[in-house]
Amino acid sequence: MAATLEQNQDRFLSELLDWLRIPSVSADPKFHGDVLRAAEFLKARLEEVGLDNVELCPTAGNPIVYGEKIIDPSLPTVLVYGHYDVQPADPYELWTSPPFEPVIKDGKIYARGACDDKGQVYMHVKALEVMNQEGGLPCNIKVMIEGEEEIGSNNLGIFVRANKEKLAADVILISDTGMLANDVPSIEVGLRGLSYHEVEVTGPNRDLHSGLYGGAVPNPINVLCKMIASLHDENNHITIPAFYDNVAVLSAEERAELNRVPHSDDEFKQSIGLKDIYGEKDYTTVERIGIRPTLDVNGIWGGYTGEGAKTVIASKAFAKISMRLVPNQTSEEITALFQQHFESIAPAGVTVVVKPHHGGEPVVTPTDSVAYKAAADAMETTFGKRPIPTRGGGSIPIVAMFKSELGLDTVLLGFGLDSDAIHSPNEHYGVFNFLKGIETIPHFYRNYAAAMK
Amino acid sequence: MAATLEQNQDRFLSELLDWLRIPSVSADPKFHGDVLRAAEFLKARLEEVGLDNVELCPTAGNPIVYGEKIIDPSLPTVLVYGHYDVQPADPYELWTSPPFEPVIKDGKIYARGACDDKGQVYMHVKALEVMNQEGGLPCNIKVMIEGEEEIGSNNLGIFVRANKEKLAADVILISDTGMLANDVPSIEVGLRGLSYHEVEVTGPNRDLHSGLYGGAVPNPINVLCKMIASLHDENNHITIPAFYDNVAVLSAEERAELNRVPHSDDEFKQSIGLKDIYGEKDYTTVERIGIRPTLDVNGIWGGYTGEGAKTVIASKAFAKISMRLVPNQTSEEITALFQQHFESIAPAGVTVVVKPHHGGEPVVTPTDSVAYKAAADAMETTFGKRPIPTRGGGSIPIVAMFKSELGLDTVLLGFGLDSDAIHSPNEHYGVFNFLKGIETIPHFYRNYAAAMK
């Protein structure tokens, strides 16, 4: 580990914990003030590490934190993207320590946002500090950290379109993904897109007594279950017409290459307590997550959910349903197909409303670019092993947007692990991963600047 | 209207409102003190109208309020049953006035329990007062009002078995049902039973990120929907094996008789805002409610149900599922069939737990008995029309228990309406119905005592 990092690691961690104490939950209006506090905190830290023109750029939603260091306009420029907002933390009761009172336990930082994405953003802030102490920056760096990633990045595209000159760069660098294991470094090169909806089914116009009415009215919960059940066939294939039309079909060779990553179905099952492997017929677990689209219900509610028994037929039932998309599906296409299909399968007598929430595009990043090689070389230096290119299942919708709006490719230099429980209770991030990120990132800049000369 | 009733109707109503202010919700432990207060209130009122030996009989749960007036052991005895506990009132936000702050609006009393069953029980209390003022009781009367009807009457059977002598009577009289309309009096002669369950489906052992895991793990919400959907076929027939084995099949004549009640599908649809009629194929709406068993989901929950979007795969999903039973199904039989079937259809990889809540037996009461005729004559006197015998859909599980334990038939002299929204927000009870009940009940006693001479 570089000397600067070694000498300052306790302070770096302590600063991150301060940031994690701010509950910057973008999905819930009651945390709006905290979201702004988290942005101000980051602005101050970026100023401390010497960036120029640091500002909170206003948007129709939460501000974007921006800063830059142009050391020489003739040198290449890297634009770092990340987000300072976090997922909601409920159910709170399942956390072993409160989500916004970070603790370090068994070498891991436990807090909402520890990995996704405050911990990974903060590696970049501290990598700047380390480079300042150890010879300065080797190229120009711009930093753009948004506050609405967990709710669909609705205002980022508007900001990017309006600020193309300000954001001009040669490549995008993002740390918001994971790697296979601490001793199996990897870099994500494929990401799934997203189409997210809230659906509402209405039967009778008021809650009814199930004894007086049961059997003669459409129960919206039963109907919703039937509609959701019909979205998959017996092979776990999605039944929405035309859903698979644009799915990129990989060659046998490409599939074989993909399945070469270290993966054990037994370990996978054990890690999440499953009795059996599950998914679309004729695909492996790695393929089901990496190259196949999916449909999952993320939440469902309706009727009486309290203690004891209530013999009610609810007037309404609700669900949140999302689809993960793969190349070359688009979020717009799938959103329209879902909405149309879901409304079309409503049985007579009920009313169905589909409200699209937000979407994101699937993307595959190149592995033959200067930037990818700079990242792979950086990881090889600090991990002692060449990283494996992988196709992950998550979505970073803005990667496709950066490509279309700014014409830039992205490198996904992420240091998280699947076991970090992001979006779940007890999210955590390894102290090892946090420090390894700060160590690796300067190598990326040096490799990239050298190769672009 | 009898003079005593006319002169005292404002006070009678005001006393009922006082009782309705006590939130005697038996399903929720936090209302336990209020449940006891409601019992004490009733005890005091029964003492005021001259019953002897009024007491709160302790049970393993809520006390049973008992009182009696034996005017002559050689005269017949009527045992009045009812309940002072009420359904939970949530969702509170859908009430136009608070559920436990009763108001009279447009001739209706709005409050939780206004009809089910405090309002109907209180008619009996005030009928006693009216009879005291107008010539005295014509027969012996015993009153037994329990506090656990809405949670399955678990302790009533134990109490009845232990007090057969104390409860010895000739017939049971209950006002806890409805009639067709204020100008179409009717008496229920058939009631459906109940089998109520809570089910829990567990997939992965913790909440997961739908991007990192979606497609490769069984989502417990999708699985629960699929399991629930499979419980009905395309004709809305229930698919649980052997479910219909003991269902009494009515003759064409009996079905024709049943369908002679005044019923309009158009009015039915309009009254609850349905676009279309719905239910089991080859049965009319009246039959679907009166003589056919059903399966309804009364509540469902799992995953993220807050504001905005969260891309989570939940670890667990839950539902409350109940079945309405008809002669000659038994709650024990159906509870076992449901539990066995629901566990058997769990797909590989998930864990399913079925927890039976409570049950009740279906029942048909005779229409050729002295007591039924006394009730029909009483209604004819006060309504000016002969009441129609109907088969309702609700459950009063204790009717079957009274038959088996005490050997007594029941008369269901109810004055509610389907539109009273019992078990729903804005439950109400017509002032007309409350007063008409108080007017009708004394005629029943007089008719019954005269016929039994």
Side-chain angles (χ1 to χ4, degrees):
Chain A
M1 203 187 290
T4 311
L5 174 55
E6 198 159 2
Q7 285 155 20
N8 292 286
Q9 59 183 40
D10 289 349
R11 175 171 56 83
F12 290 179
L13 273 169
S14 152
E15 289 173 14
L16 172 59
L17 299 201
D18 286 344
W19 200 22
L20 292 171
R21 279 187 194 97
I22 307 173
S24 50
V25 178
S26 51
D28 190 337
K30 79 165 184 260
F31 292 106
H32 186 62
D34 297 304
V35 168
L36 298 183
R37 275 207 299 137
E40 291 286 357
F41 181 101
L42 177 60
K43 174 169 177 276
R45 297 296 86 73
L46 290 176
E47 284 166 343
E48 280 169 14
V49 297
L51 290 198
D52 299 324
N53 306 319
V54 182
E55 56 179 328
L56 297 196
C57 307
T59 73
N62 298 330
I64 290 165
V65 183
Y66 179 82
E68 61 185 25
K69 192 79 198 178
I70 309 298
I71 56 165
D72 178 350
S74 71
L75 288 175
T77 301
V78 176
L79 175 58
V80 177
Y81 163 86
H83 62 95
Y84 64 84
D85 65 323
V86 301
Q87 277 279 312
D90 47 307
Y92 280 66
E93 66 272 19
L94 296 185
W95 287 75
T96 52
S97 59
F100 300 109
E101 297 174 24
V103 291
I104 298 178
K105 216 167 35 189
D106 303 329
K108 297 178 191 104
I109 308 153
Y110 282 83
R112 170 56 85 232
C115 172
D116 179 18
D117 184 33
K118 281 172 168 170
Q120 299 217 56
V121 165
Y122 212 66
M123 299 181 318
H124 284 272
V125 181
K126 294 296 105 177
L128 288 169
E129 181 175 333
V130 168
M131 286 188 284
N132 287 338
Q133 298 295 319
E134 300 186 345
L137 308 190
C139 61
N140 304 315
I141 297 180
K142 296 176 176 178
V143 175
M144 172 175 66
I145 310 298
E146 70 151 321
E148 300 185 304
E149 199 270 348
E150 300 293 4
I151 52 172
S153 302
N154 286 332
N155 294 297
L156 184 70
I158 299 164
F159 177 78
V160 167
R161 271 189 291 283
N163 291 280
K164 289 189 179 182
E165 200 168 331
K166 180 192 192 110
L167 300 173
D170 296 282
V171 73
I172 310 269
L173 180 65
I174 303 179
S175 296
D176 194 19
T177 50
M179 49 184 197
L180 291 166
N182 283 351
D183 57 355
V184 188
S186 60
I187 297 178
E188 291 218 0
V189 296
L191 291 170
R192 292 192 291 188
L194 184 70
S195 170
Y196 198 112
H197 303 261
E198 188 163 319
V199 302
E200 175 191 294
V201 175
T202 307
N205 61 8
R206 59 184 168 89
D207 287 1
L208 300 173
H209 185 295
S210 75
L212 300 182
Y213 288 91
V217 297
N219 179 323
I221 305 179
N222 289 74
V223 168
L224 177 59
C225 287
K226 207 140 203 161
M227 292 172 73
I228 289 171
S230 78
L231 298 174
H232 289 95
D233 70 13
E234 67 281 12
N235 296 321
N236 287 315
H237 213 68
I238 294 160
T239 58
I240 299 169
F243 184 82
Y244 291 96
D245 281 6
N246 293 321
V247 168
V249 178
L250 273 68
S251 67
E253 262 175 24
E254 287 173 307
R255 289 177 66 176
E257 168 69 27
L258 189 72
N259 283 301
R260 222 163 274 145
V261 299
H263 170 88
S264 148
D265 272 351
D266 280 342
E267 281 172 24
F268 179 77
K269 281 190 293 184
Q270 271 176 21
S271 71
I272 52 175
L274 285 188
K275 288 191 289 188
D276 218 333
I277 284 302
Y278 187 94
E280 193 181 357
K281 205 176 168 220
D282 299 330
Y283 292 92
T284 65
T285 298
V286 171
E287 290 171 337
R288 286 164 176 168
I289 293 174
I291 59 166
R292 296 300 292 173
T294 65
L295 184 151
D296 273 300
V297 182
N298 302 108
I300 193 166
W301 67 104
Y304 184 67
T305 59
E307 281 280 314
K310 185 174 172 184
T311 49
V312 67
I313 294 177
S315 170
K316 288 176 187 290
F318 303 85
K320 295 182 195 258
I321 302 176
S322 69
M323 285 147 286
R324 294 283 167 178
L325 314 180
V326 299
N328 299 309
Q329 295 178 303
T330 69
S331 144
E332 189 183 353
E333 162 213 2
I334 295 299
T335 294
L337 286 178
F338 175 82
Q339 190 159 9
Q340 187 183 347
H341 177 69
F342 203 74
E343 286 170 359
S344 79
I345 60 175
V350 307
T351 307
V352 170
V353 177
V354 176
K355 197 175 96 190
H357 262 302
H358 69 265
E361 306 310 326
V363 73
V364 173
T365 64
T367 52
D368 56 0
S369 67
V370 170
Y372 180 83
K373 284 177 186 155
D377 288 347
M379 274 193 138
E380 191 169 357
T381 300
T382 56
F383 284 86
K385 277 185 192 175
R386 188 87 189 152
I388 298 166
T390 57
R391 287 210 182 195
S395 303
I396 306 189
I398 38 66
V399 171
M401 189 268 287
F402 290 144
K403 181 73 184 177
S404 64
E405 295 298 334
L406 299 175
L408 297 181
D409 283 325
T410 291
V411 173
L412 296 165
L413 187 60
F415 296 88
L417 296 177
D418 276 5
S419 55
D420 285 345
I422 68 169
H423 293 211
S424 298
N426 304 312
E427 175 179 350
H428 54 271
Y429 191 40
V431 171
F432 168 87
N433 304 69
F434 177 67
L435 298 176
K436 194 56 99 179
I438 301 173
E439 185 187 354
T440 305
I441 289 164
H443 287 284
F444 166 80
Y445 287 114
R446 288 171 200 142
N447 296 343
Y448 184 66
M452 291 286 282
K453 253 182 197 155
Chain B
M1 202 187 291
T4 311
L5 174 54
E6 199 159 2
Q7 286 154 19
N8 292 286
Q9 59 183 39
D10 289 348
R11 177 172 56 82
F12 290 179
L13 273 168
S14 150
E15 289 172 12
L16 171 59
L17 298 202
D18 285 343
W19 200 23
L20 292 172
R21 278 188 195 98
I22 307 173
S24 49
V25 178
S26 51
D28 190 336
K30 78 167 184 257
F31 293 105
H32 186 64
D34 298 304
V35 169
L36 298 182
R37 276 206 299 139
E40 290 285 357
F41 181 102
L42 177 62
K43 174 169 178 275
R45 300 295 86 73
L46 291 175
E47 283 167 342
E48 279 169 14
V49 297
L51 290 199
D52 299 325
N53 306 320
V54 183
E55 55 178 329
L56 297 197
C57 307
T59 74
N62 299 328
I64 290 165
V65 184
Y66 179 83
E68 61 183 24
K69 192 79 198 178
I70 308 298
I71 57 167
D72 178 349
S74 71
L75 288 174
T77 301
V78 176
L79 174 58
V80 176
Y81 163 86
H83 62 95
Y84 64 84
D85 64 323
V86 300
Q87 278 277 313
D90 48 306
Y92 280 67
E93 66 273 17
L94 296 185
W95 287 76
T96 53
S97 58
F100 300 109
E101 297 173 24
V103 293
I104 298 178
K105 216 168 36 189
D106 304 328
K108 296 177 191 106
I109 308 153
Y110 283 84
R112 171 58 82 228
C115 172
D116 178 19
D117 184 37
K118 281 171 168 171
Q120 299 217 57
V121 165
Y122 212 67
M123 300 181 314
H124 284 271
V125 181
K126 294 295 105 175
L128 289 169
E129 180 175 334
V130 167
M131 287 188 283
N132 287 339
Q133 298 294 319
E134 300 185 343
L137 308 189
C139 62
N140 304 314
I141 297 180
K142 296 176 176 178
V143 174
M144 170 175 67
I145 311 297
E146 71 151 319
E148 299 185 305
E149 199 271 347
E150 299 293 6
I151 51 172
S153 302
N154 286 332
N155 294 297
L156 184 71
I158 298 164
F159 177 79
V160 167
R161 271 188 292 282
N163 292 279
K164 289 190 178 182
E165 200 170 330
K166 179 191 193 112
L167 301 173
D170 296 282
V171 73
I172 310 270
L173 180 64
I174 303 180
S175 297
D176 193 19
T177 49
M179 49 185 198
L180 291 166
N182 282 351
D183 56 355
V184 188
S186 61
I187 297 177
E188 291 216 1
V189 297
L191 291 171
R192 292 192 288 188
L194 185 69
S195 171
Y196 198 112
H197 302 261
E198 188 163 318
V199 302
E200 175 191 293
V201 175
T202 306
N205 61 7
R206 59 185 169 90
D207 287 2
L208 299 175
H209 185 294
S210 75
L212 300 182
Y213 288 91
V217 298
N219 179 323
I221 305 179
N222 289 72
V223 168
L224 177 58
C225 287
K226 207 139 205 162
M227 293 172 72
I228 288 171
S230 79
L231 298 174
H232 290 95
D233 69 14
E234 66 282 9
N235 297 320
N236 286 315
H237 214 68
I238 294 160
T239 58
I240 298 168
F243 184 83
Y244 291 96
D245 281 6
N246 293 321
V247 169
V249 177
L250 274 68
S251 67
E253 263 176 22
E254 287 173 308
R255 288 179 65 176
E257 168 68 27
L258 188 73
N259 283 302
R260 221 164 275 146
V261 298
H263 170 87
S264 148
D265 272 350
D266 280 341
E267 281 172 24
F268 179 77
K269 280 190 294 183
Q270 271 175 22
S271 71
I272 51 175
L274 285 188
K275 288 192 291 188
D276 218 333
I277 284 302
Y278 186 94
E280 193 182 356
K281 205 177 168 218
D282 300 329
Y283 291 92
T284 65
T285 297
V286 171
E287 290 171 337
R288 286 164 175 168
I289 293 173
I291 60 167
R292 297 297 295 173
T294 66
L295 183 150
D296 273 299
V297 181
N298 302 109
I300 193 165
W301 67 103
Y304 184 67
T305 60
E307 282 279 315
K310 185 175 170 181
T311 48
V312 67
I313 294 177
S315 170
K316 287 174 186 292
F318 304 85
K320 296 183 192 259
I321 302 176
S322 69
M323 285 147 286
R324 294 283 168 178
L325 315 179
V326 299
N328 301 309
Q329 294 178 303
T330 69
S331 140
E332 190 183 352
E333 163 213 3
I334 295 300
T335 294
L337 286 177
F338 175 81
Q339 190 159 10
Q340 187 183 347
H341 177 69
F342 203 74
E343 287 169 357
S344 78
I345 58 174
V350 307
T351 307
V352 171
V353 176
V354 176
K355 197 175 97 188
H357 261 303
H358 69 265
E361 306 309 326
V363 73
V364 174
T365 64
T367 52
D368 56 358
S369 68
V370 170
Y372 181 84
K373 284 177 185 152
D377 289 348
M379 274 194 139
E380 191 168 0
T381 301
T382 57
F383 284 85
K385 279 185 189 172
R386 189 85 189 153
I388 298 166
T390 57
R391 287 212 182 192
S395 302
I396 306 190
I398 39 66
V399 171
M401 188 269 288
F402 289 144
K403 182 73 184 177
S404 65
E405 295 298 333
L406 299 174
L408 297 181
D409 283 325
T410 291
V411 173
L412 296 165
L413 188 59
F415 295 89
L417 296 177
D418 277 2
S419 55
D420 287 344
I422 68 170
H423 292 211
S424 298
N426 304 311
E427 174 177 352
H428 55 271
Y429 190 41
V431 172
F432 168 88
N433 305 67
F434 177 67
L435 298 175
K436 193 58 98 179
I438 302 173
E439 186 187 353
T440 306
I441 290 164
H443 287 284
F444 166 80
Y445 287 114
R446 289 172 199 138
N447 295 341
Y448 184 68
M452 292 285 282
K453 252 181 199 157

